[in-house]
Amino acid sequence: MAFGGAGLYCWIQAVLSYKMKRLPRAHPRCRLIRVVLSVIHAVCFLVMLIATKLSLDKFPHSIKEIKTWTSDQPGYPEHLSATFAEWIMAVVSSTYFLTFIGELKVIQTKVLVMPISSTQEGNGSAVVANDDAETANDRVGSEETLSTDNRY
């Protein structure tokens, strides 16, 4: 499930990258790399599914008896192919996330902090800025308080 979910995520992000190509730092080479990595992931996922099915069909005992799979047992080459495909998918998924570095560098967040006076902290009041059509300099001193114990 993890590999299938990761592959689905890769494809969704690759399509979204092409849809949002006008974003800052959205380099065309990254979009191409994402598609190539998605294709590699999908091919390895199919190889893993097929090789796992073949290896389990060739294994002479029940699945519950598989503790260690040795090279002299039937189905070992297919099991090894499935294991390699899983490792390739793990590396591809990690590499895929590295393609977001350029876009994530330009994300900025801003936090608005409004001070609450010491007299208002104890009574549950909140400070709300006045949204009238005033200039920024006039707005500094015009704060209203809202009390939480208003009755309706």
Side-chain angles (χ1 to χ4, degrees):
M1 254 179 99
F3 292 123
L8 182 63
Y9 175 80
C10 288
W11 278 109
I12 290 171
Q13 283 295 334
V15 169
L16 288 176
S17 294
Y18 274 96
K19 299 254 184 209
M20 299 186 303
K21 56 185 163 189
R22 292 186 183 155
L23 288 179
R25 301 271 191 174
H27 201 276
R29 194 176 325 147
C30 279
R31 289 192 301 271
L32 179 63
I33 290 171
R34 287 180 190 149
V35 170
V36 169
L37 290 173
S38 297
V39 168
I40 292 170
H41 195 284
V43 168
C44 287
F45 186 71
L46 290 174
V47 167
M48 180 201 65
L49 289 177
I50 294 168
T52 300
K53 174 71 172 129
L54 292 174
S55 66
L56 292 176
D57 287 346
K58 290 183 179 181
F59 192 70
H61 308 289
S62 71
I63 297 174
K64 293 179 182 179
E65 296 176 19
I66 299 175
K67 299 221 190 250
T68 56
W69 210 320
T70 59
S71 59
D72 60 333
Q73 293 175 323
Y76 182 77
E78 292 83 1
H79 169 69
L80 205 56
S81 299
T83 304
F84 282 140
E86 289 174 359
W87 277 102
I88 292 170
M89 283 188 287
V91 170
V92 165
S93 296
S94 299
T95 306
Y96 192 89
F97 292 119
L98 292 176
T99 64
F100 292 108
I101 290 174
E103 290 144 355
L104 294 176
K105 279 183 181 179
V106 297
I107 292 177
Q108 296 177 353
T109 58
K110 294 181 182 179
V111 177
L112 176 64
V113 179
M114 298 181 67
I116 298 177
S117 68
S118 62
T119 59
Q120 296 170 347
E121 287 178 3
N123 65 8
S125 299
V127 177
V128 178
N130 189 0
D131 286 332
D132 292 339
E134 302 175 33
T135 63
N137 292 334
D138 295 337
R139 199 178 290 183
V140 171
S142 63
E143 295 178 344
E144 299 174 341
T145 58
L146 275 179
S147 179
T148 56
D149 53 42
N150 289 341
R151 308 263 189 245
Y152 293 100

